[in-house]
Amino acid sequence: MFYLKKIFKFLSSIKLAVPTMLLLLAASVAGTLLESKYNAEYASLKIYKTWWFLIILFFLGVNILFSTLSRLPWKRRHVGFLVTHLGMLVLLFGSVLTMIWGIDGTMQIYEKSDSNLVFLQQNVLEIDGNKTFITRYLEKRDLSDITLANNANLKMSTFLPFVDVPEKNYDRGQNLNFKIKSPFFDVVQILNTELEKEVQMGPATFRLVEKQVQSDPVKSIKKLTPAKVVKGGSQLFIKDMKGALVKSLNFEKKQSLDLGDIKLKITKIFKNAQIANNKIEEGDASRSNPALEIVATKGDQTAREIIYQNIPEFSLNPNGVFGYRLSFQMNASAPSENVGMSNSDQMQMPSNHPKVGAQVGDRIKNTVEFQILDKGHVEVTLFKNGEQLMKKVLSEKEMLVTPWMGIELTFLGVRNATDSYTPTESEPKRKMPLPASAILLKSPQGEENWITENSEMNFMANNNPVRVYYGKERMFLPFALSLVKFEKNDYPGSEMAMNYKSFVQINGQGPVHEIYMNEPLKLEGYTFYQSSYQITPNSPALTILSVNRDPGRELKYIGSIILCLGIIIYTLQKSKRFQTKFNV
C-alpha cells in the first residue's frame, strides 16, 4: 500500500508535470520547424506519429487525471482547478479519437467527371487484392521479416524511404537517366535513343547525340532561323517519325486534310502568338511568332497540337501525333484566323512552355550534349552561345555543375527499356511533397522487382502475372462528387493563381456547391477542402481536394471552451476580492 501511495503521489506531482510539459513543448517546436522547412507529412512522421511522442501524451493525460483525483474530497476553492483539468482531459480525449478513427486523405476529380475514391495517409501493399499495411519509414529498412498476405508467396526485402521517379518511361531503346537541380527545379529526366533525344528545361537544352560533333553556332542559328517566305502559299508539312515528308497542305486554301484514317484540322492560325492568362492567343504586330493549333482525329481518339514556325522542337505530343510529326512555314501575307473556337476553348499551355517571342538564339545559348560510352559512363559536352565550354566523362552517380546558372547535373546511368527498374535514392526537398518510397519484392524463384509508391505493376511469379499495388490506402465514399466546373483566377499580368474553386454536385445531381479556400463542403460527416489543382494541355482540369473526417472535432472544441472557462475561474479565485467576498 505504501508503494501505491508513492506511485500515486508521483503521477499527480509537479515533478512529472514539468518535464512532461517541457518535452511536449520541445517536440512541438521541433515539429513546427520541420513542417515549415519540409511539410506536414514529414513533421508527422518525424515527430507526431512516433512512439515516444505518444508516450509523452500518455503521461500528460495520466498526470492531469491523477492530479485532479489528488484533490479529493473536492471543495469550492477547487472549482477553477477542476474545470481547467477537465477541459484538458476532454481536449486530449478528442485528440485520441481523431488519431485512432479520424480520416485524412485526398481526392482527385477531373472536370466533367465524378469520383468517390479517396487516397488515405496510410501506405498499403496490395497483392492480387490481399492488403498489408506498410509503415512509412524515414530511413532505409530491411522488411524481410514482415509476412505479406498473398498466394504467390512474394516477400519484401529492402525499403527505400525516398527515391527519384522519372516523369516518363519508354518501352524501347536505351534510357539515359540524369538529374538536374537548380533554384527553380529538382527533377529526374530521361533521354531515349529512339523516342526522345532532346528535352528543354528552363534555360538549357539537353540533347542525346550518337557521336560527338563540334557544334557550329552559325549553322545552329541558321537551322532555327524562321524560314523564308514559301512560294505558293503557307504550307503544313506532315512527316513520319524518321523525318521523311509524307504530305503537305497549303492552308491558305484549305484548313483540313485526310491522311488515311487520320483527319487533321487547323483550328487556329496565329501570326504573332503569345501566352496570356495561361492560354495562347493572338498578340500585337511588334514581333513575328507564327503558330498553328491543330486537332487530329483517328476513330474515337482526338489529339491537339500547337506548332510554332520559329520553335520547331516544341510539341504538345513529344511522341508524335498518331505516328506523325508536324511543322509548317507561313507566307508573310497569310491572314490571321480563328477557326470555330471560343476563347474558353483555347489551349492551356504547360508551365515549362518556351517564352513566346524570344529570339531564336536564346534557345541555343545553353546546351548539354550527351554521348553514351557504356551503361555506366557518358561524355558530357557543355555549350554556351554555340561555343564549347566543357567536356567531361561522367561515371554513374557523378555530378558536375554547369558554368551557367549553377545547375547541378548528375548522371544516373543508362538502362535498356527492357531492364528491370532500379530506383535512385533521393532526399526530402524543402517545402515540397515527400519523394516516393520504394520496396524491393522477391518471388520464391529469386526474381526481384522494385515497386515505387503510388504505382502498380505485374510481378511474374510461378510463370503467372501477379497484380501488385503499393501506395496510399484507397477508400470509396458512399457517394460521388461530380466536378461541374473548375475556375482559376490569376493575378493581373501573371500566371500565379489568385484564387481557384471547384463547382461540384452530389452524385451528379441537385444544387451546385462551391469549394474554395476557407469555404469547405461538409457532407455526411466528411469535410472537403480545396487543396490544389493541375492544368495540363490536352486534358481537362484536375481538382485536388483534402478529405477529412474528425470524430473528435466536437470534443476538442468543447474541451477548448471548458479549458478557457477554467482558466478564467481559476484566475478569479486567486484574486483577493473574490476570496474576501466568498470567504474562500
Side-chain angles (χ1 to χ4, degrees):
M1 183 65 68
F2 171 77
Y3 290 107
L4 290 178
K5 288 184 178 179
K6 198 169 184 179
I7 292 173
F8 182 90
K9 185 177 180 179
F10 172 74
L11 293 177
S12 62
S13 69
I14 197 74
K15 293 180 180 179
L16 176 62
V18 171
T20 301
M21 295 297 289
L22 289 176
L23 287 173
L24 184 62
L25 176 63
S28 300
V29 171
T32 302
L33 293 175
L34 288 173
E35 185 172 350
S36 63
K37 183 178 181 180
Y38 296 108
N39 56 41
E41 184 181 5
Y42 186 85
S44 178
L45 294 172
K46 194 74 173 178
I47 303 289
Y48 303 125
K49 291 185 178 180
T50 58
W51 61 269
W52 55 265
F53 187 79
L54 296 179
I55 288 177
I56 293 175
L57 293 179
F58 172 77
F59 276 106
L60 176 64
V62 168
N63 181 253
I64 294 172
L65 177 62
F66 277 72
S67 178
T68 305
L69 296 176
S70 69
R71 298 302 195 272
L72 287 171
W74 297 321
K75 299 179 181 180
R76 185 169 22 175
R77 68 173 183 272
H78 294 145
V79 172
F81 174 86
L82 293 174
V83 173
T84 302
H85 282 65
L86 175 63
M88 288 191 287
L89 286 174
V90 173
L91 183 61
L92 195 59
F93 184 67
S95 300
V96 171
L97 288 181
T98 299
M99 187 178 299
I100 297 176
W101 288 291
I103 289 176
D104 191 13
T106 59
M107 189 176 193
Q108 301 181 357
I109 316 174
Y110 283 99
E111 197 170 36
K112 306 300 182 184
S113 65
D114 54 46
S115 176
N116 67 338
L117 176 62
V118 177
F119 291 92
L120 305 179
Q121 295 297 317
Q122 176 67 53
N123 279 355
V124 295
L125 186 65
E126 293 183 12
I127 305 177
D128 277 349
N130 297 300
K131 184 186 299 184
T132 303
F133 290 96
I134 305 296
T135 302
R136 180 61 153 96
Y137 299 103
L138 294 177
E139 68 280 340
K140 189 175 181 179
R141 289 288 186 99
D142 181 4
L143 303 182
S144 55
D145 293 336
I146 298 178
T147 302
L148 293 178
N150 70 99
N151 298 323
N153 294 320
L154 297 183
K155 294 185 177 181
M156 293 187 292
S157 178
T158 306
F159 174 87
L160 297 179
F162 310 113
V163 297
D164 287 320
V165 180
E167 296 182 358
K168 298 179 182 179
N169 286 302
Y170 300 96
D171 57 3
R172 65 176 189 266
Q174 286 186 310
N175 295 323
L176 186 149
N177 302 265
F178 63 98
K179 182 177 181 179
I180 45 179
K181 182 179 180 181
S182 80
F184 307 102
F185 43 73
D186 185 356
V187 296
V188 174
Q189 287 286 348
I190 288 181
L191 293 177
N192 184 269
T193 54
E194 295 186 26
L195 299 177
E196 186 164 25
K197 296 184 178 182
E198 184 175 306
V199 65
Q200 185 172 342
M201 285 292 297
T205 298
F206 298 85
R207 182 180 299 127
L208 183 61
V209 295
E210 296 182 2
K211 59 181 180 179
Q212 194 64 44
V213 179
Q214 292 292 334
S215 295
D216 185 337
V218 176
K219 290 183 179 179
S220 299
I221 293 175
K222 285 184 177 179
K223 182 180 179 181
L224 294 176
T225 300
K228 297 180 180 179
V229 174
V230 182
K231 294 182 179 180
S234 301
Q235 299 286 325
L236 171 68
F237 301 106
I238 299 93
K239 301 179 182 180
D240 61 22
M241 299 303 291
K242 295 182 179 180
L245 181 64
V246 176
K247 208 165 186 179
S248 64
L249 169 69
N250 184 330
F251 57 84
E252 287 184 18
K253 300 179 180 179
K254 186 180 179 183
Q255 269 87 40
S256 62
L257 172 68
D258 290 330
L259 199 66
D261 58 346
I262 300 171
K263 184 174 181 178
L264 301 176
K265 182 178 181 181
I266 300 174
T267 55
K268 287 181 185 285
I269 302 174
F270 301 94
K271 291 181 68 176
N272 306 292
Q274 68 177 19
I275 305 300
N277 298 322
N278 204 32
K279 298 176 182 178
I280 182 172
E281 59 186 37
E282 187 67 47
D284 56 41
S286 61
R287 55 191 176 187
S288 176
N289 188 48
L292 299 181
E293 180 174 327
I294 297 173
V295 173
T297 56
K298 181 179 181 181
D300 58 354
Q301 301 180 61
T302 301
R304 290 184 175 178
E305 178 68 292
I306 298 289
I307 56 175
Y308 295 94
Q309 177 177 284
N310 298 347
I311 316 175
E313 67 270 23
F314 175 79
S315 173
L316 296 179
N317 304 275
N319 295 326
V321 179
F322 299 128
Y324 294 97
R325 300 283 190 192
L326 308 178
S327 62
F328 78 99
Q329 295 178 6
M330 182 180 287
N331 191 310
S333 62
S336 174
E337 298 183 19
N338 291 327
V339 184
M341 297 185 72
S342 64
N343 290 335
S344 62
D345 293 326
Q346 292 181 19
M347 287 295 299
Q348 302 215 349
M349 305 307 294
S351 57
N352 61 349
H353 183 279
K355 182 180 179 182
V356 175
Q359 296 298 318
V360 176
D362 291 346
R363 299 191 309 280
I364 61 170
K365 283 184 177 180
N366 306 323
T367 304
V368 180
E369 291 188 352
F370 298 94
Q371 181 188 1
I372 298 175
L373 303 180
D374 54 50
K375 285 192 173 184
H377 299 86
V378 66
E379 185 178 77
V380 182
T381 309
L382 306 181
F383 296 92
K384 184 172 184 179
N385 294 329
E387 179 182 352
Q388 180 179 313
L389 298 182
M390 180 189 300
K391 179 184 288 188
K392 185 177 181 180
V393 174
L394 296 182
S395 302
E396 190 168 345
K397 296 186 179 180
E398 186 177 354
M399 182 195 70
L400 66 80
V401 179
T402 65
W404 25 259
M405 300 289 291
I407 296 175
E408 296 179 1
L409 188 152
T410 305
F411 170 54
L412 301 179
V414 177
R415 304 285 184 272
N416 292 328
T418 55
D419 290 347
S420 59
Y421 170 70
T422 302
T424 303
E425 294 187 58
S426 181
E427 295 292 336
K429 302 174 180 63
R430 287 177 175 267
K431 298 182 179 180
M432 294 289 289
L434 290 182
S437 57
I439 294 176
L440 180 61
L441 295 176
K442 291 185 176 182
S443 71
Q445 294 74 33
E447 297 178 0
E448 297 183 348
N449 266 308
W450 286 96
I451 183 168
T452 56
E453 191 175 341
N454 299 321
S455 67
E456 291 183 307
M457 63 176 292
N458 282 323
F459 194 109
M460 295 302 297
N462 299 321
N463 296 321
N464 294 314
V466 179
R467 194 64 180 168
V468 181
Y469 165 78
Y470 170 53
K472 303 299 182 186
E473 182 184 6
R474 295 174 287 192
M475 180 190 75
F476 294 93
L477 298 175
F479 55 87
L481 292 186
S482 304
L483 182 59
V484 178
K485 178 184 176 183
F486 180 80
E487 183 179 281
K488 170 177 172 277
N489 297 313
D490 297 334
Y491 286 100
S494 74
E495 296 179 11
M496 184 180 298
M498 181 169 58
N499 56 65
Y500 45 91
K501 62 176 66 176
S502 301
F503 298 84
V504 301
Q505 287 181 307
I506 313 303
N507 294 321
Q509 56 189 2
V512 176
H513 305 272
E514 296 183 26
I515 305 176
Y516 54 93
M517 193 66 66
N518 300 324
E519 189 62 34
L521 169 66
K522 296 182 179 180
L523 183 66
E524 296 187 18
Y526 297 93
T527 305
F528 300 86
Y529 301 89
Q530 183 68 63
S531 173
S532 184
Y533 66 91
Q534 289 182 10
I535 297 178
T536 55
N538 293 331
S539 299
L542 174 71
T543 188
I544 302 175
L545 305 176
S546 293
V547 184
N548 180 266
R549 188 178 70 184
D550 188 353
R553 179 183 286 117
E554 287 76 13
L555 284 177
K556 287 184 284 186
Y557 288 154
I558 294 171
S560 299
I561 294 172
I562 295 174
L563 178 61
C564 293
L565 182 62
I567 292 174
I568 293 172
I569 297 173
Y570 186 82
T571 303
L572 291 174
Q573 286 183 321
K574 288 297 182 180
S575 68
K576 290 183 179 181
R577 180 179 296 180
F578 183 90
Q579 293 177 358
T580 302
K581 186 174 182 179
F582 294 97
N583 297 318
V584 177

